[in-house]
Amino acid sequence: MRKGAAIKNPDKIAIIAGEREVSFAKALQYINMFAGQIPHSDGHRIIVFSENSEGWIYAFFAIWQQGGIAVPVDAGSTVPDFSYILRDCTPHGIWTSRRNVPVVEQALADTGLDVPYYIIDDLMLQQPEEAPGLPESLPWAELDVPYNQKTALIIYTSGTTGSPKGVMLSYQNMMANIKGVSQDVRIYTSNRRTMILLPLHHVLPLMGSVVAPFWTGGGVAICPSLTAPDLMNTLCRGKVAIVIGVPRLWQMLYGGIKKKIDSNIITSSLFGMCAFFRSRTLSRIVFGSIRRKMGGHIRYFVSGGAALSKEIGEGLKTLGLDVLEGYGMTETAPIICFTRPTDIRPGCVGLPLPGIECKLVNGELCAKGPNVMSGYYNRPEETADVIDKDGYIHTGDLASIDKKGRVTITGRTKEIIVLSNGKNIEPSEIEYKLEQYDRYVKEVAVMQDDDLLRAIVVPQSPWASLLSDTQVEVALKREVIEPYNRSVVNYKKVMALTVYRGELPRTKLDKLQRFKLKALLEECRTSQPVCKAEPEPDLEEYHIIRRFIESEKKIPVKPSSHIETDLAMDSLDKVGLQGFIEHTFGMKMTAEEMAAFPDIRAMAEHVASCKTMTKVEDVDWHRLLNEQVPDLRIPQASCLLPIASKCMKLFFWIYNSLRIHGRIQIPAKGPYILAPNHQSFADAPVVLCGLTWRQIRTCYFYATEQHVRGKFRRALADRNNTIIMEQAHLKDGIQKLAQVLKEGKSIMIFPEGSRTHDGDLGDFKLSFAILSKELNVPIIPVCIRGAYDAWPRNRKFIHPRHIEVHYLPPIIPTSDITYQQLADKVKQAIARVL
């Protein structure tokens, strides 16, 4: 038996399992007894195939005592799963629970391998010998030797993207992790007990809730299940200080606590107060009862396995509960970065493990250090694919690193959805937002389906159990998808929905197995009764409206399609449809009225009952924009607008070293359209900085009604040349813009509609191009550079970064150019400078 971690107090409790308590001395005796069942042979691979239990720990450490390599396997593996691992690692022995003996025997028969197996439950019925002279150290081979390259573990990856691979981890890999969280940063200590909760065949719970607690002498408490009574009983009885969990566990915990807080005005107000002051001491005083109900010894929650939403992290922090987020992978045993207790920043995974180097390669996080695996078992080519010649492992995750070295994960390269328009979508971001509608949604998976975003939704059973799939789908569209779509940019809208009544494919650490979603979707489609094509109503009005929308949106329209949820019609699309209905059927319909119809069929039926004529024609934008409209109230500029603009110019010149180029491109007389890219809240003010006093007084702005909510903002907009596009009066809004141009004044429109999320140009909407072409008004492309770095979406205040504004040569509309071609021409001009 080689040297391990010294046990200072052999009589101290090492394991609490239900009512049973086992000292470190007794645990060592059990490990020796288990070790006596298997041969001593360096490098022998021994599988541990059992549920979490006291015996699992003894079987695992016994392998190391005998010089072997432990291969933990998911206790829920099927015969094919277990057979795959048998063939891949060809073990020399198997520790198993009695429940899993049938799987072991069938898999051995299927593979033809002759491997002995040992039943953990049977051995636990025996009592170990209390022989004198037992070692006072943990029995694993040279674990404290800093540079021991000997393989200790083969951990099979979770299989989120395909077949699992055996990750070979050495004692050096493990010690880099253990020393990092017990010596360099004192999270694990001899007086902090850890709960065993997650399945131990994963490297995170294995290292975090077995190896590290035994190494430091803190001990463990085994939780028999994830039910609330078992969790609370284990926390209290075990006096647990550290709990390792996955984000869904913390989401459930926070959700349950928050509902109780929100149900009472006093506790809700106290929560708001703690959120405002951000004081850990205040939060622990105000919400001290929460920690006391958990046994009173909780020091840290540790979150790993997947990304924890910033909202959950902030919420638990407000409750006085410290959540240390970790980031890593099986291949790094597992830590690459982790949050330091003195620097908890929800959404950030903290600093690298001591001794680890991190860098970004094309946005991908790469790491190098003693924690990196030696390779995949018997897969040298796949090892070379992830570990480069300089020893850096490529994680496959996108990240950012701040000036202090903190890492924030921003996405996963293999999960990014790339649409045909070049837009990159992070599906987990959309999934999180949809799961906030938890009255209706249990869980969601977002995938790409024929260049559309499709959500596979598992509905909450209480309300969905009595409804058909069709009824559930209709309700989800109305109560979930439609509100979500209204809150995001066009390319992030969910355009298709599938109801699934089962459980989404996940690993035991709650990671979504996205590679299985296509098969799941096909299963949903084939399991449904074969339906005839959706019958179309025998209404002339329906077919006229359908053909118009299909020609405008270039997507198929069904009777059950909703103009927002299914067809993603934006403000300009609605204006076009309004104009079309008015000129074709002689009736008015507001955008709100159109969106209120459950589908196109209902809209067509309403049109059929209220129309005064039928005259089929396309939207005549020229007529719509040039017609005389009485009583159009155009806001007037306050004399303070130019003064405020010049003050802002001085501020930007000093604070952001603002530089303006190309003023000469702005026409001295006549109307024009300023079309800037949209990077930040500072964009409109910095564009005005290049205009003269007279030009500022005659320049008008466009804003949606959600941008000017509240009496003060509304009054401010009315006095500063802002035309508000109201949902109920979209047509009036665009006609006001046209009137301004016809009066020889100018307008500023951001073609992207909303600020960029990543600094790149977004899709250009066509409103500015339609106005330009139909009124024969030149467009001045304006390129703003640096504003995104100075004031990105996630910043509350502007930073002192350099900003430039470039007024580019005017683009004159010609008679033969289309709206889309004109918009593309402007976008290309800005892109060349950007």
Side-chain angles (χ1 to χ4, degrees):
M1 187 174 302
R2 301 177 177 90
K3 183 180 178 182
I7 300 299
K8 295 180 181 178
N9 185 0
D11 295 328
K12 184 179 178 181
I13 300 302
I15 301 173
I16 296 177
E19 300 295 320
R20 179 176 165 83
E21 297 182 350
V22 181
S23 68
F24 275 99
K26 179 65 72 173
L28 291 173
Q29 293 170 1
Y30 270 105
I31 291 168
N32 277 334
M33 182 178 74
F34 272 66
Q37 304 297 308
I38 57 177
H40 186 286
S41 180
D42 284 349
H44 273 201
R45 296 172 296 282
I46 308 292
I47 284 176
V48 184
F49 182 42
S50 170
E51 307 78 22
N52 288 3
S53 67
E54 178 187 341
W56 195 105
I57 299 172
Y58 303 147
F60 176 79
F61 283 140
I63 297 168
W64 280 354
Q65 171 148 330
Q66 296 297 75
I69 299 171
V71 187
V73 174
D74 183 358
S77 296
T78 62
V79 172
D81 294 335
F82 194 66
S83 297
Y84 170 86
I85 292 176
L86 287 178
R87 292 189 183 96
D88 195 68
C89 77
T90 56
H92 300 85
I94 302 170
W95 282 112
T96 184
S97 61
R98 178 157 295 284
R99 194 186 79 171
N100 281 343
V101 167
V103 175
V104 171
E105 291 179 342
Q106 185 60 53
L108 289 173
D110 291 348
T111 58
L113 294 174
D114 183 15
V115 181
Y117 61 86
Y118 317 96
I119 302 175
I120 293 173
D121 310 61
D122 292 351
L123 206 57
M124 284 299 298
L125 296 175
Q126 304 178 28
Q127 288 296 319
E129 297 180 7
E130 297 185 11
L134 280 172
E136 295 183 356
S137 62
L138 296 177
W140 52 68
E142 303 177 14
L143 187 55
D144 60 343
V145 177
Y147 300 103
N148 192 333
Q149 297 290 340
K150 180 178 176 182
T151 299
L153 285 169
I154 296 178
I155 300 280
Y156 278 84
T157 56
S158 305
T160 57
T161 57
S163 299
K165 298 182 287 290
V167 176
M168 296 186 292
L169 299 174
S170 67
Y171 291 110
Q172 171 190 320
N173 299 150
M174 293 189 296
M175 279 312 302
N177 278 265
I178 292 173
K179 289 185 175 179
V181 296
S182 63
Q183 296 178 7
D184 299 311
V185 181
R186 290 179 59 77
I187 295 172
Y188 287 86
T189 65
S190 60
N191 59 357
R192 293 177 186 166
R193 183 172 288 115
T194 304
M195 179 189 286
I196 294 179
L197 181 65
L198 302 177
L200 294 177
H201 67 279
H202 286 287
V203 71
L204 169 64
L206 174 58
M207 291 295 296
S209 56
V210 174
V211 180
F214 268 75
W215 175 262
T216 57
V220 300
I222 302 173
C223 187
S225 77
L226 282 171
T227 62
D230 281 341
L231 282 168
M232 298 305 294
N233 183 56
T234 306
L235 285 170
C236 297
R237 177 175 171 76
K239 298 179 180 179
V240 171
I242 301 172
V243 181
I244 297 177
V246 293
R248 196 167 291 269
L249 173 65
W250 309 129
Q251 185 176 339
M252 289 190 297
L253 173 68
Y254 175 68
I257 296 174
K258 190 65 166 59
K259 281 183 179 179
K260 291 183 179 179
I261 288 175
D262 290 343
S263 65
N264 184 288
I265 190 170
I266 296 176
T267 53
S268 179
S269 300
L270 289 172
F271 183 87
M273 178 185 70
C274 291
F276 177 80
F277 286 106
R278 295 174 175 267
S279 167
R280 182 172 182 267
T281 302
L282 176 64
S283 292
R284 290 204 161 188
I285 293 172
V286 173
F287 295 109
S289 61
I290 294 175
R291 297 179 74 248
R292 289 192 292 274
K293 288 178 181 178
M294 295 180 183
H297 292 80
I298 286 292
R299 191 65 182 267
Y300 302 119
F301 288 151
V302 178
S303 181
L308 178 69
S309 81
K310 187 175 181 179
E311 179 185 338
I312 303 299
E314 290 280 11
L316 290 171
K317 188 177 180 181
T318 301
L319 294 173
L321 300 170
D322 292 339
V323 182
L324 306 183
E325 292 184 61
Y327 166 76
M329 52 199 305
T330 304
E331 291 84 344
T332 55
I335 303 174
I336 293 177
C337 309
F338 68 96
T339 301
R340 301 321 193 248
T342 56
D343 187 30
I344 297 175
R345 294 169 177 261
C348 172
V349 294
L351 295 167
L353 189 72
I356 308 304
E357 299 176 36
C358 287
K359 67 176 183 179
L360 300 179
V361 178
N362 296 324
E364 180 186 10
L365 183 65
C366 300
K368 177 182 179 181
N371 62 333
V372 177
M373 68 170 182
S374 54
Y376 295 118
Y377 184 70
N378 283 341
R379 300 193 186 194
E381 292 182 359
E382 294 187 41
T383 301
D385 287 340
V386 296
I387 302 178
D388 62 28
K389 61 182 180 180
D390 296 322
Y392 282 92
I393 187 164
H394 291 244
T395 65
D397 288 309
L398 302 173
S400 62
I401 302 177
D402 68 14
K403 292 181 178 179
K404 293 188 177 181
R406 302 187 194 94
V407 175
T408 299
I409 304 301
T410 58
R412 180 151 181 82
T413 57
K414 293 180 180 178
E415 294 181 356
I416 295 293
I417 295 173
V418 182
L419 301 177
S420 61
N421 60 9
K423 291 295 184 182
N424 291 341
I425 306 291
E426 175 57 59
S428 60
E429 173 192 341
I430 299 175
E431 289 159 358
Y432 173 74
K433 290 181 178 179
L434 293 177
E435 287 177 356
Q436 299 312 295
Y437 298 89
D438 55 1
R439 178 183 174 186
Y440 303 97
V441 177
K442 181 179 180 182
E443 56 179 335
V444 181
V446 173
M447 62 180 292
Q448 186 174 3
D449 184 29
D450 291 334
D451 206 40
L452 297 175
L453 291 182
R454 176 179 292 276
I456 301 176
V457 179
V458 178
Q460 290 286 12
S461 56
W463 75 272
S465 58
L466 299 178
L467 302 177
S468 68
D469 284 356
T470 301
Q471 291 172 318
V472 170
E473 183 176 337
V474 170
L476 288 173
K477 283 182 178 180
R478 183 180 63 250
E479 304 294 341
V480 178
I481 304 300
E482 184 177 333
Y484 162 78
N485 280 349
R486 286 199 297 265
S487 71
V488 296
V489 295
N490 279 342
Y491 69 89
K492 290 186 178 181
K493 290 185 176 181
V494 173
M495 303 297 290
L497 174 67
T498 296
V499 176
Y500 181 58
R501 302 272 187 168
E503 296 288 332
L504 294 178
R506 296 182 181 274
T507 69
K508 292 298 175 67
L509 288 190
D510 206 43
K511 290 183 180 179
L512 191 61
Q513 294 177 305
R514 297 189 185 277
F515 73 98
K516 293 183 178 180
L517 292 181
K518 286 188 177 180
L520 188 149
L521 179 60
E522 189 61 31
E523 175 191 331
C524 291
R525 287 169 171 165
T526 56
S527 63
Q528 293 174 351
V530 178
C531 298
K532 297 179 181 179
E534 187 176 343
E536 295 193 329
D538 188 20
L539 275 177
E540 179 189 16
E541 293 77 12
Y542 164 77
H543 292 285
I544 292 172
I545 293 173
R546 175 181 59 79
R547 285 194 295 268
F548 169 76
I549 296 175
E550 288 181 339
S551 68
E552 292 290 309
K553 298 293 292 181
K554 305 297 190 254
I555 58 175
V557 175
K558 297 185 296 184
S560 59
S561 297
H562 184 271
I563 65 169
E564 290 179 345
T565 307
D566 299 305
L567 305 177
M569 295 186 74
D570 60 18
S571 299
L572 187 64
D573 295 327
K574 293 173 189 174
V575 170
L577 184 55
Q578 277 182 287
F580 176 78
I581 289 176
E582 182 174 339
H583 291 293
T584 304
F585 301 108
M587 58 178 290
K588 293 183 180 292
M589 187 184 297
T590 68
E592 288 181 338
E593 288 172 337
M594 290 192 296
F597 290 111
D599 50 40
I600 298 296
R601 182 202 307 268
M603 181 190 294
E605 290 171 349
H606 175 74
V607 169
S609 64
C610 299
K611 70 177 184 177
T612 59
M613 67 177 189
T614 300
K615 181 182 178 183
V616 179
E617 58 180 29
D618 294 332
V619 173
D620 189 340
W621 285 108
H622 183 78
R623 181 173 59 185
L624 181 68
L625 297 179
N626 284 281
E627 66 183 17
Q628 295 298 318
V629 183
D631 302 325
L632 270 182
R633 194 182 70 84
I634 308 296
Q636 298 300 315
S638 164
C639 61
L640 296 177
L641 177 60
I643 298 173
S645 178
K646 295 305 177 183
C647 292
M648 291 297 293
K649 180 179 180 179
L650 180 62
F651 168 79
F652 289 123
W653 182 68
I654 296 172
Y655 189 73
N656 296 100
S657 60
L658 175 66
R659 295 295 178 268
I660 297 174
H661 309 274
R663 285 190 185 94
I664 195 173
Q665 306 296 347
I666 303 173
K669 295 181 180 180
Y672 54 85
I673 298 172
L674 293 170
N677 58 310
H678 206 355
Q679 293 197 333
S680 74
F681 278 133
D683 294 345
V686 298
V687 173
L688 285 182
C689 287
L691 305 185
T692 65
W693 282 60
R694 188 189 68 81
Q695 288 170 331
I696 293 172
R697 290 290 303 272
T698 58
C699 183
Y700 282 74
F701 312 95
Y702 157 88
T704 58
E705 57 187 334
Q706 57 261 38
H707 291 147
V708 289
R709 287 176 179 162
K711 292 183 179 179
F712 176 75
R713 287 187 180 182
R714 190 72 177 227
L716 197 64
D718 282 340
R719 289 166 177 76
N720 287 278
N721 283 6
T722 302
I723 293 173
I724 301 167
M725 192 69 76
E726 299 175 334
Q727 284 292 316
H729 306 288
L730 293 175
K731 181 181 173 184
D732 287 351
I734 201 164
Q735 286 179 328
K736 286 179 182 179
L737 292 174
Q739 184 63 33
V740 165
L741 293 172
K742 286 186 285 187
E743 291 175 1
K745 301 171 184 177
S746 63
I747 61 174
M748 184 191 303
I749 297 182
F750 292 99
E752 294 164 278
S754 61
R755 288 169 294 150
T756 178
H757 287 260
D758 53 14
D760 294 334
L761 283 175
D763 292 333
F764 275 30
K765 302 181 185 301
L766 299 181
S767 53
F768 78 108
I770 292 172
L771 287 164
S772 171
K773 178 175 169 60
E774 298 304 338
L775 300 175
N776 195 29
V777 174
I779 300 172
I780 313 298
V782 184
C783 179
I784 301 172
R785 295 170 57 180
Y788 175 75
D789 294 327
W791 205 351
R793 277 178 172 264
N794 60 343
R795 297 279 188 181
K796 292 184 179 179
F797 304 103
I798 190 169
H799 288 242
R801 304 284 191 272
H802 175 61
I803 298 177
E804 294 180 6
V805 177
H806 295 259
Y807 299 95
L808 306 178
I811 294 176
I812 311 298
T814 58
S815 59
D816 60 339
I817 197 169
T818 67
Y819 304 141
Q820 188 63 60
Q821 289 170 341
L822 185 56
D824 290 344
K825 200 170 182 179
V826 174
K827 183 176 182 179
Q828 290 162 11
I830 295 174
R832 282 194 292 269
V833 179
L834 187 63

